[in-house]
Amino acid sequence: MKKIDGWVTTPQGFLAAGVKAGIKASGNHDVAVIYSTVPAATGAVFTQNKMCAAPVLVSRKVAAKPYAQAIVVNSGCANACTGEQGLKDAESMQAQAAELLGVEPEAVYVCSTGVIGHFMPMDKVAQGIADAVDAMDESEGESCAMAIQTTDTFIKHAAYEFEIGGKTCKIAGIAKGAGMIHPNMATMLTFLTTDAAVAPDVLKRAVKAAADKSFNMVVVDGDTSTNDSMIVLANGLAENEIILSEEHPDYPAFFEALLACAQDLAKMIARDGEGATKFLEVNVCGAATWDEAKTAAMAIAKSPLVKTAFFGKDPNWGRIVCAAGYSGAAMQPDKVNLEIGGVRLVEHGMNCNIPLESLKDIMEQHDISMKIDLGAGSEEATVWTCDFSYEYVKINGEYHT
């Protein structure tokens, strides 16, 4: 497996485009289409927020099918909390894209992102879908990625090449997400394409497993959006022997590539937390179970006190052990060890009395890791997050305007 420069159009048989339809006041790209030239096995996971948006309701029905062929998406309007009209609008987007692409409506996913509670400007959306379909090409992966952004400060994309069964396969993905990021599931929008041949039921399980170890391990602010969706299309054009089960000899190589692509995108989302100045990796080891390791890591990663300490470049390790302590995970206080940037600050639950000035260079860095051993077992989990800055408050305080 090797990392390559690519977009959702890099795997064989995928076309895409993003256009400016005028939904966003900024005039930036805001409607996109991703299309597989042949039916593709599909797997997807969605937000568990009970106030989920209309497009999520539509897309869940698509995800229940074994195959799909396209994704239509807009940014600038979430189409959430819009009642029956919102559902009709989402279905209209699906139907229009299907007609233009010559596929059945149930083969088209619909996604939206943006401000909640506004009706879709369907005249602009309809024109945007038509323009995006007209513009679809193997070279338009970047414009597609631009069209799904909201408060993102950079385009998020990743791609890998891997070999299975003597065939060269590719997988690529794009994502959007910077705030309102918290697990259950996908904590943003992300779309992955691959030309590997994978049975639909195997792919569905693989997508859930990959999400649990990537996007469900990212937290920016503890808010789970109404629109979060992770969608994967696998069209099989690499012509490898189809992977019919997790016991297939090629499954580990496929899953490794899927997970690597998903984790790359997940880390980018954490790096792009609104107003973030630090990318933080929280590793919890010595836990009784993996779930408890994740619980403790999430408590640390979500703590406003921990996040603001790193923004202020203050190695206030007491906030970290405190968060682990209230997380509910089992721990042995007299066995707890803590490191920041590889420097041991706590050992056997006691202050190592390291001069905090010695951590100055570490706290100045953009990427900072911390590791806490709970002393309760052998399981570990890693969560990715960012700091809270003045800019985070400004961005979210002015989001609607």
Side-chain angles (χ1 to χ4, degrees):
M1 183 180 73
K2 67 175 181 179
K3 192 169 186 176
I4 60 174
D5 185 30
W7 305 89
V8 290
T9 52
T10 297
Q12 297 179 65
F14 286 97
L15 307 175
V19 299
K20 300 176 180 179
I23 301 171
K24 291 177 179 173
S26 64
N28 293 332
H29 290 72
D30 49 20
V31 172
V33 172
I34 300 170
Y35 171 65
S36 174
T37 56
V38 297
T42 188
V45 284
F46 302 95
T47 183
Q48 293 181 25
N49 191 316
K50 291 181 174 60
M51 293 293 290
C52 65
V56 171
L57 297 175
V58 172
S59 288
R60 280 177 176 159
K61 295 179 181 179
V62 180
K65 304 283 186 179
Y67 299 95
Q69 207 161 343
I71 304 166
V72 59
V73 53
N74 75 275
S75 57
C77 180
N79 193 11
C81 301
T82 48
E84 286 298 318
Q85 184 60 51
L87 191 59
K88 289 178 181 178
D89 290 343
E91 291 171 341
S92 176
M93 290 175 65
Q94 181 186 47
Q96 182 190 358
E99 182 178 2
L100 293 172
L101 294 169
V103 302
E104 294 299 318
E106 56 265 29
V108 180
Y109 284 101
V110 183
C111 296
S112 299
T113 182
V115 179
I116 293 169
H118 290 238
F119 289 116
M120 297 286 283
M122 288 305 293
D123 54 339
K124 295 178 180 179
V125 172
Q127 187 61 55
I129 294 172
D131 291 345
V133 171
D134 283 344
M136 284 191 320
D137 191 82
E138 292 176 355
S139 64
E140 288 297 322
E142 184 173 6
S143 68
C144 176
M146 293 169 64
I148 70 173
Q149 294 180 295
T150 50
T151 58
D152 303 67
T153 63
F154 63 88
I155 297 174
K156 301 168 180 69
H157 69 109
Y160 284 83
E161 185 177 280
F162 57 104
E163 187 172 304
I164 52 177
K167 301 290 186 179
T168 298
C169 303
K170 295 177 181 177
I171 187 168
I174 59 174
K176 66 81 52 182
M180 197 173 275
I181 301 297
H182 186 56
N184 293 325
M185 158 54 252
T187 60
M188 76 295 112
L189 297 183
T190 186
F191 311 119
L192 289 87
T193 60
T194 180
D195 49 21
V198 187
D201 59 330
V202 177
L203 182 63
K204 290 181 193 303
R205 291 192 294 270
V207 170
K208 175 63 169 64
D212 285 344
K213 294 192 174 184
S214 58
F215 300 109
N216 278 340
M217 301 303 282
V218 173
V219 60
V220 170
D221 47 25
D223 277 359
T224 302
S225 169
T226 53
N227 294 61
D228 303 336
S229 305
M230 174 188 181
I231 298 168
V232 182
L233 299 175
N235 66 17
L237 289 181
E239 298 184 339
N240 59 287
E241 179 183 301
I242 188 168
I243 299 173
L244 294 173
S245 75
E246 287 87 339
E247 285 69 46
H248 191 286
D250 293 330
Y251 179 81
F254 167 73
F255 185 75
E256 180 186 23
L258 172 64
L259 182 59
C261 198
Q263 287 187 338
D264 281 359
L265 294 169
K267 291 177 184 179
M268 289 178 203
I269 289 171
R271 288 183 184 278
D272 199 24
E274 291 164 334
T277 67
K278 305 288 185 186
F279 170 72
L280 307 174
E281 182 174 276
V282 183
N283 176 259
V284 172
C285 64
T289 66
W290 184 85
D291 285 340
E292 290 199 2
K294 178 183 176 180
T295 294
M298 278 290 173
I300 295 166
K302 287 191 294 182
S303 166
L305 293 180
V306 171
K307 293 160 82 70
T308 51
F310 279 95
F311 171 67
K313 303 174 185 177
D314 176 14
N316 190 340
W317 58 261
R319 295 180 175 182
I320 300 171
V321 296
C322 178
Y326 67 60
S327 69
M331 60 193 304
Q332 294 291 328
D334 59 348
K335 294 182 180 179
V336 169
N337 301 324
L338 172 67
E339 298 176 358
I340 296 179
V343 176
R344 180 68 61 89
L345 299 177
V346 177
E347 188 161 14
H348 300 311
M350 300 289 289
N351 188 353
C352 292
N353 293 312
I354 300 296
L356 296 185
E357 310 86 67
S358 65
L359 273 77
K360 185 176 185 300
D361 288 345
I362 292 172
M363 300 304 290
E364 290 284 349
Q365 295 173 14
H366 181 273
D367 293 11
I368 304 175
S369 65
M370 64 196 90
K371 182 174 184 175
I372 182 168
D373 187 335
L374 304 183
S378 59
E379 296 294 325
E380 67 176 293
T382 300
V383 166
W384 301 287
T385 188
C386 59
D387 60 343
F388 270 165
S389 69
Y390 305 134
E391 190 66 15
Y392 176 87
V393 177
K394 184 175 187 295
I395 289 170
N396 283 285
E398 299 175 351
Y399 185 78
H400 198 275
T401 55

